Amino acid sequence: MTDLHDLAAKVIAEGEGPRLPTPSPVDRTMIRHWTEAMGDTNPRYQGPDAIAPPAMIQVWSMDGLNGRTRTRAPLDDLLDALDAAGYTGVVATNCEHTYHRPLVPGEELTSATRTTDMTGLKKTALGDGYFVTWQVTWYAQDEPVAEMIFRLLKFRPREERSPSEGRKPYPLRPAVNRDTEFFWEGARSGELRIQKCGDCGELRHPPGPVCPSCRSAKRTYAVAAGTGVVYSYVVHHNPPVPGRETPFVVAVVELPEGVRIVGNVVDCAPAEVEIGMPVRVTFREMDDELTLPLWTPGES
């Protein structure tokens, strides 16, 4: 543990890493793709005078499917050391954005990463681990235009039970709390439950502690019909995901009840998935405790 903290202190002291150019300038085509996928119809993001939606700042520095030969940052040494020490599990916990001004098509950006903190060892429901925090800053020439503070938990996965004690735990376990436990209890019972405000009756997903419409903290749920259509999707090729064979499809499914839910589309080839495809929910036990709602082709 001391060695990990010593390395973290060294990486933090090195400060901001090199500024890396983004793969391409800010452009209208990517803005159009992003706004269509997100269903954002704000007129500021359309037409010849369009600006880029601030929330898509990470898009400009993403490598894409084939990636690039990326320059290593000091943060990579810390994450590699945590992996080598057995803290191979990863789950994101916080992401905070700050935007200084809008970006316009044609601007060329760079981004740089600075590691700011590592705390631990912490005991969590997923396993013992360390919380690592870093900040990414995007620049237009020398002007900072946006920052992102990102925190993840690097944890040691719980020891697998022997075959006599049951099935191996599924490695990609969702975070379950007071706001979401009703959803996972429903999945185990074969129900697709959607959170419902106990006062105004509005449905919402993902679940939360307070109704966004009337601010009521009273919560109940409705059982959805279990049908929907693919609103948007991605085919995941890389990086490898524990417990999954690539490629696989992650889709945003729009339900007739008026909410959208994220899930895998199964029982069909990724090339067969398309926007607007009718799907139906199916529930599959991933281990002795976890049941996931997945989506299969079917009439909505």
Side-chain angles (χ1 to χ4, degrees), residues 85-89 121 126-130 153-159:
Y87 301 98
T88 55
L121 191 67
L126 294 171
D128 296 348
Y130 295 85
L153 170 65
K154 290 284 289 176
F155 63 94
R156 188 191 302 274
R158 295 182 180 277
E159 293 185 3

Side-chain angles (χ1 to χ4, degrees), residues 32-88:
R32 177 172 58 83
H33 289 330
W34 192 91
T35 54
E36 287 180 357
M38 299 300 293
D40 192 334
T41 59
N42 189 324
R44 292 293 308 280
Y45 309 145
Q46 303 172 18
D49 298 322
I51 61 173
M56 70 179 296
I57 185 65
Q58 280 180 275
V59 169
W60 308 117
S61 50
M62 288 180 175
D63 289 340
L65 178 60
N66 296 323
R68 296 177 293 170
T69 304
R70 187 173 65 85
T71 302
R72 282 183 63 87
L75 173 64
D76 295 314
D77 295 333
L78 178 57
L79 297 179
D80 287 349
L82 287 164
D83 283 338
Y87 301 98
T88 55

Side-chain angles (χ1 to χ4, degrees), residues 50-282:
I51 61 173
M56 70 179 296
I57 185 65
Q58 280 180 275
V59 169
W60 308 117
S61 50
M62 288 180 175
D63 289 340
L65 178 60
N66 296 323
R68 296 177 293 170
T69 304
R70 187 173 65 85
T71 302
R72 282 183 63 87
L75 173 64
D76 295 314
D77 295 333
L78 178 57
L79 297 179
D80 287 349
L82 287 164
D83 283 338
Y87 301 98
T88 55
V90 179
V91 61
T93 63
N94 296 77
C95 184
E96 303 173 19
H97 283 196
T98 300
Y99 314 115
H100 298 294
R101 67 164 175 82
L103 299 178
V104 297
E107 289 196 272
E108 296 188 358
L109 308 179
T110 58
S111 64
T113 301
R114 175 196 306 271
T115 307
T116 59
D117 189 41
M118 186 182 85
T119 60
L121 191 67
K122 302 287 188 180
K123 293 186 178 294
T124 76
L126 294 171
D128 296 348
Y130 295 85
F131 289 89
V132 183
T133 307
W134 63 86
Q135 176 178 307
V136 180
T137 303
W138 286 266
Y139 296 89
Q141 297 183 341
D142 289 329
E143 176 193 5
V145 293
E147 286 101 35
M148 176 183 70
I149 297 174
F150 193 83
R151 181 178 297 111
L152 58 75
L153 170 65
K154 290 284 289 176
F155 63 94
R156 188 191 302 274
R158 295 182 180 277
E159 293 185 3
E160 297 180 352
R161 294 175 291 182
S162 66
S164 62
E165 294 176 302
R167 288 177 288 181
K168 293 180 179 180
Y170 185 63
L172 301 175
R173 303 195 66 82
V176 180
N177 55 38
R178 288 183 299 175
D179 295 328
T180 63
E181 59 186 355
F182 80 95
F183 179 85
W184 299 109
E185 289 174 357
R188 287 193 293 271
S189 302
E191 294 181 345
L192 185 64
R193 297 177 179 178
I194 306 300
Q195 193 173 60
K196 180 179 180 180
C197 178
D199 280 328
C200 72
E202 179 172 317
L203 298 178
R204 62 183 186 264
H205 189 85
V210 176
C211 176
S213 294
C214 72
R215 314 306 295 173
S216 171
K218 294 182 180 179
R219 294 167 291 177
T220 181
Y221 65 84
V223 178
T227 59
V229 296
V230 174
Y231 180 81
S232 67
Y233 70 96
V234 296
V235 180
H236 184 96
H237 295 268
N238 284 294
V241 177
R244 298 301 307 271
E245 292 185 5
T246 57
F248 58 87
V249 175
V250 182
V252 177
V253 176
E254 189 165 58
L255 308 185
E257 289 79 10
V259 300
R260 297 170 186 157
I261 186 170
V262 176
N264 294 124
V265 177
V266 296
D267 296 340
C268 70
E272 296 176 0
V273 179
E274 59 184 7
I275 303 297
M277 184 177 81
V279 289
R280 180 175 295 276
V281 73
T282 182

